[in-house]
Amino acid sequence: KIIQLKTFNEILMSKSETLRIFRDVFVCFAISILLEIILITIESNYLSVFLKANILTILLTLLAINTATLGLIATKIHEILSKHPKLNFDKTIKEMHFSLKEQVFLIVLSICVLVIDCSKIVNFVHKELILNALLYAVFFFSIYILWDTGKAVFVLINSSTLLETNSTTDGID
């Protein structure tokens, strides 16, 4: 029964993570629809052409950068925990894992968008506008994830510095 309960909790966590991804992507999508309308108005297709050709490369590159950065953060967390074992980084570690899931989701979403965009059978009203806006949203959200990871680096550096300062002034070291 305990194992079943844990599995059920993991499923709930998974659904809430999925809902969070959809919410954040939806905000980026709303902004992207406005951008696509502006681009249509000024008759510019540069961004859509560029992203259709490069989105997967960009996303995989950002995933690699984020993974390397998260590796550095994990190393720093390990150093901090070795000096301060009572600290709890469970939420931080979950967020790190979640950001990787978000990026994989964005890669899958962009592949689906590109496949539908190239399909001669799948047609619907405002197809180009919606699919271009989805690509913009994926791109913007992937940059947001990278920015969020970068912020985490500086928060961790500041926290580490404060812990070291407090350790030496309290005579802990």
Side-chain angles (χ1 to χ4, degrees), residues 7-151:
T7 305
F8 179 71
N9 285 336
E10 288 174 359
I11 290 169
L12 287 178
M13 177 72 107
S14 167
K15 285 183 181 179
S16 69
E17 288 175 349
T18 303
L19 289 175
R20 191 169 121 192
I21 290 172
F22 280 117
R23 181 199 67 214
D24 294 344
V25 169
F26 179 77
V27 169
C28 287
F29 182 65
I31 294 167
S32 296
I33 285 179
L34 293 174
L35 175 63
E36 177 63 7
I37 291 169
I38 291 168
L39 292 173
I40 289 170
T41 304
I42 65 170
E43 297 180 9
S44 174
N45 67 347
Y46 174 77
L47 189 57
S48 64
V49 170
F50 175 79
L51 286 179
K52 286 175 185 176
N54 297 297
I55 191 70
L56 292 175
T57 304
I58 292 167
L59 293 176
L60 290 169
T61 302
L62 291 175
L63 176 61
I65 292 167
N66 194 35
T67 302
T69 304
L70 291 176
L72 293 172
I73 291 171
T75 301
K76 191 65 177 173
I77 288 172
H78 181 70
E79 289 174 13
I80 291 171
L81 285 174
S82 67
K83 293 179 183 177
H84 306 279
K86 292 182 182 179
L87 294 177
N88 185 350
F89 283 96
D90 289 345
K91 186 176 178 188
T92 304
I93 292 167
K94 279 185 181 181
E95 286 297 318
M96 290 166 58
H97 187 250
F98 183 70
S99 78
L100 293 174
K101 285 182 181 180
E102 285 176 318
Q103 287 186 292
V104 170
F105 171 80
L106 292 175
I107 291 168
V108 171
L109 179 61
S110 65
I111 291 170
C112 293
V113 167
L114 293 171
V115 167
I116 292 169
D117 185 54
C118 290
S119 173
K120 306 241 187 280
I121 297 172
V122 180
N123 289 308
F124 49 90
V125 178
H126 305 297
K127 176 181 175 180
E128 187 175 356
L129 181 138
I130 293 169
L131 295 180
N132 286 347
L134 274 171
L135 282 181
Y136 304 157
V138 164
F139 177 67
F140 296 146
F141 190 62
S142 64
I143 291 172
Y144 170 77
I145 292 169
L146 186 65
W147 174 74
D148 192 47
T149 303
K151 272 191 344 185

